[in-house]
């Protein structure tokens, strides 16, 4: 094959990989809260090597970012922060970007989702070009559907009626305050905001929370509300899941979703909570016969939830202990050999029973043949007697 042909094929394959990473990143972006502006950036060699210069979409910069040189903060999925210099005249990130790229081992083809959560702070989601089980696994959860109210645990919501959405007109004069939420400034405030959220969508059934409630202030299930970004999302979760989730929170004396990354969609959070409850129930009902693959699925999902900020360490710890007991400890090895021996003995005993049954059948057949032989012997003797009698009859006088 000619060198030029191989090069073209390599470029085509690379384009396919990049397209996949970009598509996954765009899916993630579509699930983020729209009140926080965001964009997708595909990494090229100059972004992750050499000069380490990252240019940002100019229109995004003009519309959302400061007009002077400032220090930006990049917040990754693990909650670690990196300080980067933003150059408005060049619409790009310079000083500090190299450290972020190297620390996260970025390569050409990786796709990054930048979400502006404060005026000088980006939340960054990384989608690997060749896949990363933990990072892409966590980000893929942004596509989780919420559980249907009243549905069985473990089944994804299927809606027969499209939810009614109240949309509000986008207002251009948005400024960022210290609470991470965009708000209208000064005279741009509308006369009433009781039923509206600026640059966002509010689903029927979701209502505003009057104040921040600490878990210690929750006395019982009736006073337990699941609040996300100032919205109570109880209507997105079945009563069964809500009750189970309350019990999990009580076991840890905290709200498990309290440290979720900012800007997650309400339905996504409802899906995370429902899936956490489902896994917890599955752990409670697992047996020594539960397969390693099932344990692995639960562990991978919980690790992904953890990367999004869900407090599931206690479930991961329990699963780690159960996996060790079931598959990795000396007792587990002995138990495995014991179970294999028991299965082997049962198989041999079954074969013996089959052989015994066959032996009985053979003995019965032998008896039948024996009877038949005796019967034939008598018959043969009778014929001889008749022949002898007939010979006597036919004998000459």
């Amino acid at each position: 094959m000619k060198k030029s042909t191989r090069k073209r094929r390599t470029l085509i394959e690379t384009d396919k990989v990049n397209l996949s990473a970009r598509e996954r990143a765009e899916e993630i972006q579509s699930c983020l809260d729209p009140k926080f502006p965001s964009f997708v950036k595909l990494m090229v060699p100059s972004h992750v090597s050499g000069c380490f210069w990252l240019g940002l979409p100019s229109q995004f910069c003009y519309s959302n970012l400061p007009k002077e040189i400032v220090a930006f903060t990049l917040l990754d999925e693990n909650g670690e922060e990196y300080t980067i210099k933003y150059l408005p005249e060049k619409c790009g990130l310079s000083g500090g970007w190299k450290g972020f790229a190297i620390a996260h081992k970025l390569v050409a083809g990786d796709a990054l989702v930048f979400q502006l959560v404060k005026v000088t702070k980006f939340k960054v989601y990384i989608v690997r070009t060749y896949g990363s089980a933990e990072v892409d696994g966590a980000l893929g959860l942004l596509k989780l559907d919420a559980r249907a109210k009243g549905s069985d645990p473990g089944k994804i919501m299927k809606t027969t009626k499209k939810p009614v959405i109240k949309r509000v007109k986008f207002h251009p004069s948005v400024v960022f305050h210290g609470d991470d939420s965009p708000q209208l400034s000064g005279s741009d405030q509308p006369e009433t905001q009781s039923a509206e959220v600026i640059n966002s969508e509010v689903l029927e059934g979701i209502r505003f929370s009057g104040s921040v409630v600490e878990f210690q202030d929750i006395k019982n299930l009736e006073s337990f509300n699941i609040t996300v970004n100032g919205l109570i999302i109880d209507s997105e979760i079945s009563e069964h899941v809500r009750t189970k989730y309350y019990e999990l929170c009580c076991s840890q004396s905290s709200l498990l979703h309290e440290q979720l990354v900012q800007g997650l969609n309400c339905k996504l959070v409802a899906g995370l909570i429902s899936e956490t409850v489902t896994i917890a129930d599955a752990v409670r009902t697992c047996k020594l016969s539960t397969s390693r693959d099932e344990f692995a699925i639960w562990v991978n999902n919980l690790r992904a939830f953890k990367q999004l900020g869900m407090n599931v360490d206690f479930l991961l710890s329990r699963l780690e202990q159960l996996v060790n007991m079931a598959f990795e400890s000396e007792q587990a090895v002995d138990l495995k050999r014991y179970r294999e021996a028991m299965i082997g003995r049962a198989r041999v005993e079954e074969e013996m029973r089959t052989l015994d049954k066959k032996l009985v059948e053979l003995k019965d057949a032998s008896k039948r043949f024996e009877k038949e032989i005796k019967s034939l012997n008598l018959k043969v003797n009778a014929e001889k007697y008749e022949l002898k009698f007939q010979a006597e009859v036919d004998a000459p006088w």
Side-chain angles (χ1 to χ4, degrees):
M1 183 184 294
K2 294 182 179 180
K3 184 176 181 180
S4 59
T5 304
R6 288 198 301 269
K7 184 176 181 180
R8 284 197 300 272
R9 178 171 293 180
T10 301
L11 289 174
I12 292 173
E13 291 173 350
T14 301
D15 287 343
K16 289 180 179 178
V17 171
N18 290 348
L19 179 61
S20 175
R22 180 187 290 276
E23 287 176 342
R24 285 181 288 153
E26 289 174 348
E27 288 178 1
I28 292 167
Q29 182 190 24
S30 68
C31 294
L32 297 176
D33 194 327
K35 71 180 179 182
F36 296 103
S38 61
F39 64 89
V40 173
K41 189 69 177 179
L42 189 66
M43 297 294 99
V44 298
S46 62
H47 297 156
V48 296
S49 62
C51 62
F52 284 93
W53 164 259
L54 182 67
L56 307 181
S58 57
Q59 188 58 49
F60 183 92
C61 295
Y62 297 149
S63 302
N64 302 285
L65 303 186
K67 301 301 186 288
E68 66 279 354
I69 297 176
V70 293
F72 257 78
T73 298
L74 300 186
L75 177 68
D76 67 13
E77 297 97 337
N78 296 322
E80 296 183 5
E81 296 185 347
Y82 297 78
T83 301
I84 314 291
K85 181 183 289 186
Y86 170 65
L87 303 178
E89 69 278 6
K90 295 184 178 181
C91 294
L93 303 179
S94 181
W97 167 251
K98 178 178 180 180
F100 182 90
I102 293 176
H104 293 82
K105 299 180 181 179
L106 299 180
V107 298
D110 288 347
L112 274 60
V113 182
F114 289 82
Q115 183 185 28
L116 189 64
V117 295
K118 286 187 179 180
V119 67
T120 59
K121 186 174 185 178
F122 279 116
K123 170 67 179 177
V124 183
Y125 300 90
I126 302 173
V127 180
R128 304 292 181 182
T129 180
Y130 293 110
S132 170
E134 291 189 2
V135 176
D136 279 352
L139 299 181
L141 290 169
L142 290 170
K143 297 180 287 184
L144 273 177
D145 289 324
R147 305 291 181 181
K149 185 174 182 179
S151 63
D152 293 334
K155 294 184 178 180
I156 299 296
M157 176 179 68
K158 295 182 179 179
T159 55
T160 56
K161 182 178 180 181
K162 188 175 182 180
V164 179
I165 297 178
K166 298 179 181 179
R167 298 183 182 272
V168 297
K169 184 177 180 181
F170 172 76
H171 201 290
S173 301
V174 178
V175 296
F176 285 82
H177 295 276
D179 60 356
D180 295 349
S181 301
Q183 299 179 5
L184 295 181
S185 60
S187 60
D188 292 327
Q189 291 280 359
E191 293 182 1
T192 176
Q193 293 184 342
S194 59
E196 296 183 336
V197 177
I198 303 304
N199 193 23
S200 65
E201 298 176 349
V202 179
L203 299 180
E204 280 192 355
I206 297 178
R207 63 187 190 277
F208 290 99
S209 174
S211 60
V212 178
V213 179
E214 299 294 336
F215 183 79
Q216 291 73 14
D217 300 328
I218 300 174
K219 304 303 181 183
N220 48 44
L221 178 61
E222 286 67 29
S223 61
F224 176 66
N225 291 316
I226 301 173
T227 304
V228 179
N229 299 326
L231 298 174
I232 298 176
I233 64 169
D234 291 11
S235 61
E236 299 298 309
I237 298 174
S238 71
E239 189 60 28
H240 168 80
V241 170
R242 177 173 169 271
T243 301
K244 289 284 188 177
Y245 183 60
Y246 172 70
E247 293 172 356
L248 288 176
C249 291
C250 288
S251 72
Q252 302 304 304
S253 300
S254 66
L255 298 172
L256 304 187
H257 64 282
E258 195 169 21
Q259 300 300 321
L260 282 173
V261 295
Q262 300 171 355
L264 293 183
N265 183 277
C266 290
K267 285 187 174 292
L268 166 64
V269 176
L272 289 173
I273 290 173
S274 297
E275 197 66 21
T276 299
V277 169
T278 298
I279 293 175
D281 286 346
V283 171
R284 284 297 192 193
T285 58
C286 71
K287 307 292 183 183
L288 273 173
S289 57
T290 301
S291 69
R292 184 186 287 268
D293 288 342
E294 287 182 273
F295 280 112
I297 291 172
W298 299 337
V299 169
N300 288 338
N301 285 345
L302 290 176
R303 285 175 178 170
F305 298 172
K306 181 179 178 180
Q307 288 206 353
L308 291 175
M310 199 76 174
N311 177 14
V312 291
D313 284 333
F314 68 103
L315 291 174
L316 282 169
S317 177
R318 179 65 60 84
L319 277 172
E320 181 180 354
Q321 183 177 356
L322 291 174
V323 168
N324 180 66
M325 292 180 65
F327 302 103
E328 298 172 6
S329 66
E330 183 178 348
Q331 292 87 344
V333 174
D334 291 340
L335 177 61
K336 182 179 179 181
R337 293 175 60 187
Y338 170 78
R339 292 173 62 188
E340 290 175 349
M342 291 289 289
I343 293 172
R345 187 179 71 175
R347 183 180 65 253
V348 170
E349 289 178 347
E350 179 63 27
E351 291 178 357
M352 290 174 62
R353 284 192 292 270
T354 301
L355 291 174
D356 287 342
K357 183 178 179 181
K358 186 67 175 177
L359 183 59
V360 170
E361 293 175 353
L362 291 173
K363 287 181 178 180
D364 290 341
S366 178
K367 290 178 180 179
R368 288 197 303 271
F369 286 129
E370 184 68 25
K371 290 180 180 179
E372 187 174 357
I373 290 172
K374 289 180 178 180
S375 174
L376 289 173
N377 282 335
L378 291 174
K379 185 176 181 181
V380 169
N381 291 335
E383 289 177 351
K384 286 181 178 180
Y385 187 77
E386 287 182 1
L387 289 174
K388 185 177 180 180
F389 179 83
Q390 188 63 41
E392 186 65 26
V393 170
D394 296 335
W397 298 107

